Each structure stands twice: as C-alpha cells, then as structure tokens.
Amino acid sequence: MANVTDLQTKYSKLAQEYSKLRAQNQVLKKGVVDEQANSASLKDQLKQRDQSLRKQEQEMDSLSFRNQQLAKRVELLQEELAASESKGKKGKSKGDSPSQHGLQTQSVFNEDLQKKIEENERLHIQFYEADEQHKREEAELKTRLEELERSSEQHQAVVDGLTTKYMETIERLQSDKARLEVRIQSKSFFFRLCSQQQLRRCQSDLNRQVKQSSSVIQEKVPFNDTKFSDYNSLNVPPHNRRHQLKARDVAGQALSFIQDLVAALLNFHSYTEQRVHIYPLDSSIEPISPLNQKFSQYLHENAAYVRPLEDSFLQLHQSITEDTVTVLETVVKLKSFADNFSTYTHFLQKILPYQLKSLEEECEAPLSTAALTAKNRELQSDMKRITSVFEKLQSYINLLALPSVRQDALPQSSTSAVFTQLAACLHSLHDAIKEMSKHYNQKASLEQELPTVTQKLCTTTECLLGSLGSLNSSTGKIATFFSNNLDFFTSPGYSPRGSTVALNPLQAESMLANKKKAAAYIQAVKKPRPQSVPYREALSNRRILTSSTESREGLSQQVQQSQEKIARLEQEKEHWLLEAQLGKVRLEKENQRIADLEAQLAAALGGSPDSRTAAAASTLVGDEESREQLIKTHYMARVGELTTQLQISDSKAVHFHSECRALAKRLAIAEKSRETLSEEVKLANQNITRLQDELATTKRSYEDQLSMMSDHLCSMNETLSKQREEIDTLKMGSKGNAKKNKGR
C-alpha cells in the first residue's frame, strides 16, 4: 500500500508540474499570437507608409516637373520682359499708346510671375513638411523595430528555457517510468506468486466448504422444487426469477428516462407556444396571424398527448413483478403504451404544417436577415426529420406490442431485428434533436443582433433552448440505455423444453398456478413423511437461501441452533445412559440383597439372632449408596468434558470459516487493486506518450514560428534599407533642385 501511495503522490506531482507547464505554454502561445497580431498590424502600417511614401514621391515628381515648367516659364517671361523693355526704349518717340500697351503687358507678366513665385513657395513648404513627416515616421518605425527585436530576443530566451525545462522533464519522466516499470515487474511477480498461493488455499478451502454445505443441504433441505420429474414432464418452462428481477430493473430505469423525456417534451411545446405569441408579432400589442393562433391552440393541448406516455409506461412497470412471466407475449400493458405513442405521433404530424408555416412567417418578417432565413429553413428540415423518426418508432413499437394481442403476429426470429432497428431509430432521434438544438442556438445568437428584440423574447428563447438541451440529454440516455440492454431484450427468457413456440398470455398466467397444483398433487400422492416440509414453506426457504446476505445469516443461525440442539441431546443421552447403568447396578444390587435377605431369612428360621441381621442389612445399604454416588459423579464429569470439547470444536470451525471468508475477501480486494494498478500504469504510460507528443508538437510549432519571425524580420530590414536608400536619393534630388532654383 505504501508503494501505491508513493506512486499516487509522484503521479500527482507530475500532473501538477504538467499543469504548470501547460499553463506556461498557453501564456507563451498567447504571447506569440499577440506578437503575430502586432507583426501583422506593423506589416499593414508599413504597407500604408509605403503607399503614402509612393504618393509623396509621385507628388514630389509632379512638383519638380511643375517647378521646371515654371522655371522655363519665368525665363521666357524674363526674356520677353527684356525684349519689351528694349523695344520700349527704342520707341519712346513714337507716342504714348505703345508705352501704355507695354506697361499693361508688363503688369500682367508681373502678376503672373508673382503668382508663380507664391505657388513655388507653397510647394516648397509642402515638400518640406512631407519630408519632416517622413523623417518622423521613419524614426517611429525604427524604435518600433528595436522594440520588436528586443521582444523577439526575450521570447527566444523564454522558448529556450521552456525547451530545456521540457527536456529535463522528459528525461525525469523517462527515468521514473523505467524505475516504475522495474518496480511493477517485481511487484507483479511477487503478487502472482502470492495470488497463486492464496488462490490454491482458497480453492481448497472453498471446495471443502462446498462439500460440507452440500452435505448439510442434502441432510437438512428435504424439498427441492427443481428435482420433481412429474413437474418437469409437464413441458412448462421453469420460473426464471433472475430474468424477472432483471426485467423489473430495466423497466424501472426505462420509466425514469421516459419521465425525463415527457418533462422535456412538455417544456418544449409550452415554450414554443409562448414564442408563437411573442415573435414575429407580440400578441399583447397586436393580434397574431390566424395560422399562429391555430398553432398555439394545438400546442396548448400537448399535455393531453404527452402525459399518457408516462402513465401507460408506469402501468407497464407496475405489471412486471417477481412472480410474473415477462415476455413480449405476456406484456399486455405494452399495447396501451404503443397506442398512446401512436396518438402522440399523430399529434406531431398534425402540428408539423403549422410549424413550417410559422417559420415561413418569421422569414417574411421585415427585419429578417438572410442568415435567419437560412436557419429557419434548416429548422424546417429538422422538424420534418424528427416527425419521420417518430413515425418509424411508432411502427416498431406497434410491432413489439402485437404479440400480446395475437401470438402469431410477429415471428420470434424477427424480434431481434425489430429491437435492433428500434435502437438505431433511437440514435437517429438523438442525432436529429442534437441538430435542431444546434440550429436553435445559432438562430438565437442571430436574433440577439436584431434591434427590435425584447427581453421577453430573449427569456422565452433561453427557456426553449434549455428544454431542447434536456430533450437532447434524455434522448441520448434512452438511446444509450437501449443499446446497452439490447442483448437482454433479444435473449429468450422463457421457452418450453423441446419447443420453439413462444408462450401465449394464457400459458403464462396459468404457468405459476400449474406449479402450485403440481406441487399439491405430488404432496397428495406421495406418502407423508414426518420430516417433510410444506410447499409454500419450501419455496420461501429457497428464496431466502438464494439471496446472498440472508442465506449466509440463515445458514449460520441454523448451524448454531443445530449445534446447541446436538449438545443438549448429547447431554441428555449421557444422562440417560448413566441412569440406565445406575438402574442396572441397582437392580443387580437389589437382586443380591434379596438373595442375601432370603439366605438370612433362612438362617434366621434356623435360629440366628435378629440384631445381627439388621446390622448386616444397614451396612450393605450404606455401601451401595456411596458406590452409586461415585459412579454418578464420574459420568457427569465425563459428560462435561465431552461438551467442552464439542464447543471448542464448533468454535474452531466457526473461526476457520471466518478466516476463509476473510481470505477470499482479501483475494478479491487484491485482484481489484491489481486491476486498478494496471489501469493506472496504462494511464500513466498514455499520459507520458501524450506529453511527449505535445512537447514535440509545441517545439515544432515554436521552431516554425521563430523561423517565420526571423524571415519576417529579414524582409522588414530589407524593406527599411530600400526605403532608406530611396529617401536618401530623394533628399539628394530635392537638395539639387533647391540649389538649381537658388542659382536661377
């Protein structure tokens, strides 16, 4: 046990360390995901910056081109101005009108030149601002890149630390595994030796106990119901009590599942009725459509169709008792349950068109989206599927109920196929309910996004989803229960000897009565014995003997009573033997005394004195009484010794019996502990394998992520270097243009 506790503590420590590592792994994964998201956002920002830089480059190109055009325009204007001035000087003598025309032209040129100069200054200012903004963005990107590099180095250090830690953990786990395997092999070898020795001892003890118990039963149980050839010759199947107990238990479990199913169906129909009054139109504000009114009226009557399912199955469970015969031909109450199930199926068929039309009205609502319409279409198909599955269940249940009405309605060879198909239909019903619950959940999440949704609709939808969840759970339990007990349903519990014909209800009802009549007939025909047991008492005694706890207690009480009775009879036997011996001795003494008295009488008649005769007679009487007392004391002591020895033997037998039972229990406990230890070792091996797989997967994913991050950083460095070069070239170009403009 100490080794087991050590293993458990070690496994608990390993589990705690694994949980810590797993939590750290989750945090690291989250950090990596955040960094990936930040990297993606930085990529987007970089793309935007590139786009803005390209736009600025285009603007700068356009500005430089425009500047060149303006410079050329200014040169032309200057040339024209110089030409006009020279012409003006030459033509001063020609009059005033040409000079005025030249002045006007010069003023126009001056205004145009002033505008171009102002536009050039404005463009230079914009270019300077764009250059400063680009420098600021470049500095920000550099700082951000440095931060990312530092965080990448930190993450790399964390990944390296976790990798070393995981490798140490794996090595420690492998060493622990090897050590545990060695210990398990040694313990298993020792345990096999001990278990084999204990098993041999227990088998020998149990064989001896079986022999003793069989001898006691043969001597003490004079009546056995299963050994009468007269009863067996009637070709009536014996009463299978174990089958009846199993049938009773299975019916009880099925009743609890049916009750859960009925409650879930009632809630589902009731909350559907409430939802019809709320959506798509609220009945408290405006009247709902006639279709929904009719649908609500039908849904309001759901209890009249659902409640009889529970009541009829409760009657079916009550009809299955220990003293009855439970087969398909004798379960008469199954027909009422099948009728009620058919009624409920017809109810589902009746409300199905209204359900489909109601969902179509929801699709035609003003605020209904395309996603809601798609979910309503899926719900319509789910409703149709559930109704069809209920129809299949109805047909199979009606088939199983037919043998109780007409014996030859369902061949016995087809029963197993019907039960198998019924199990498949139950699983199909569970799948359909699960799909409908999933679609309702998706529909409810979509309805939450509508602007006109009310709190009353949300509450009703939550209640409807809860009823669907309970309906899903109850149908899943019923399907699993039916699949697990399919072997019991398809196994023949009762069948007459040498015949393949099933029982009919009349045979089943008369079978137990025939047993009693046969027993009474046998008791009447056979000669009465003084130690015979009545039939009812024999059946009750056998029922007590077959039960586990009562049989042991009853046998121990009978053995104790028998031992006390034997001891008392032995004492009485010894006492009466002693009395007989004493009586025999007394008789001999009386005969001797009579002979002596006759001799003395004869001598007295011959002249002997009377006083001598009286003294001799008194002496003889005293010797006889003392001798009798000694013999009685000796035999009483002998009887006490024998009684003590018998009690000691009985106590030893009881002690040995208790020791055998304790050894058997210890063997069973040891077997269970061995099985649990083997299961724990398997689970530990599985956990170690899973941890190794997870570690390899995590390591591989981290390596992939680090390689991706390094590639990304390299690409970002290349991009930044290219941008730096382009910016430098643009700066150089802008400085050259500025110098040219100044020179001009």
Side-chain angles (χ1 to χ4, degrees), residues 165-365:
K165 193 172 182 180
Y166 281 144
M167 293 302 292
E168 292 174 357
T169 305
I170 287 171
E171 291 176 357
R172 189 173 62 255
L173 288 173
Q174 287 178 353
S175 62
D176 292 339
K177 178 184 176 183
R179 188 171 59 255
L180 289 173
E181 286 178 353
V182 172
R183 292 182 62 184
I184 286 168
Q185 288 177 0
S186 60
K187 295 293 182 183
S188 61
F189 179 71
F190 178 72
F191 181 74
R192 282 197 299 271
L193 290 177
C194 294
S195 61
Q196 288 175 1
Q197 293 175 0
Q198 290 181 358
L199 183 62
R200 283 195 289 269
R201 287 199 299 269
C202 290
Q203 283 179 354
S204 61
D205 294 338
L206 290 173
N207 289 328
R208 188 175 62 254
Q209 290 180 10
V210 166
K211 290 180 182 178
Q212 292 177 358
S213 301
S214 61
S215 62
V216 170
I217 290 171
Q218 290 177 1
E219 293 175 358
K220 301 298 181 180
V221 182
F223 181 82
N224 190 357
D225 189 29
T226 62
K227 291 185 178 180
F228 283 97
S229 60
D230 295 334
Y231 173 71
N232 290 332
S233 64
L234 297 175
N235 199 18
V236 180
H239 184 61
N240 194 342
R241 183 175 176 273
R242 185 176 299 173
H243 178 82
Q244 286 302 120
L245 293 176
K246 178 68 175 176
R248 177 75 176 176
D249 184 22
V250 169
Q253 295 178 12
L255 177 61
S256 64
F257 294 143
I258 290 294
Q259 289 173 350
D260 296 339
L261 178 63
V262 167
L265 288 173
L266 288 173
N267 292 330
F268 175 68
H269 292 313
S270 301
Y271 291 131
T272 305
E273 179 188 358
Q274 293 180 13
R275 180 182 169 83
V276 166
H277 284 283
I278 297 172
Y279 189 79
L281 298 177
D282 194 351
S283 60
S284 61
I285 300 174
E286 52 184 333
I288 60 177
S289 63
L291 177 72
N292 282 334
Q293 288 180 358
K294 196 69 174 177
F295 185 36
S296 172
Q297 180 181 355
Y298 285 149
L299 287 175
H300 191 69
E301 301 171 355
N302 68 87
Y305 299 97
V306 180
R307 288 289 183 190
L309 295 175
E310 180 181 356
D311 298 336
S312 59
F313 205 88
L314 179 61
Q315 294 176 2
L316 174 62
H317 174 255
Q318 291 174 353
S319 65
I320 300 173
T321 60
E322 185 180 346
D323 296 330
T324 58
V325 177
T326 302
V327 289
L328 287 177
E329 290 79 7
T330 61
V331 184
V332 183
K333 298 295 182 179
L334 184 60
K335 180 62 178 173
S336 61
F337 176 74
D339 294 338
N340 292 324
F341 195 86
S342 300
T343 305
Y344 177 69
T345 306
H346 293 322
F347 169 71
L348 290 179
Q349 293 173 353
K350 181 173 68 175
I351 66 173
L352 179 61
Y354 296 96
Q355 285 179 335
L356 302 179
K357 291 293 183 181
S358 178
L359 291 173
E360 287 182 359
E361 284 191 4
E362 291 185 8
C363 295
E364 295 172 358

Side-chain angles (χ1 to χ4, degrees), residues 493-507:
Y494 293 91
S495 60
R497 287 183 177 86
S499 176
T500 59
V501 181
L503 290 174
N504 57 23
L506 294 177
Q507 288 178 348

Side-chain angles (χ1 to χ4, degrees), residues 522-533:
I522 291 169
Q523 290 292 331
V525 170
K526 290 183 176 290
K527 294 182 179 179
R529 293 180 294 178
Q531 294 183 355
S532 63
V533 181

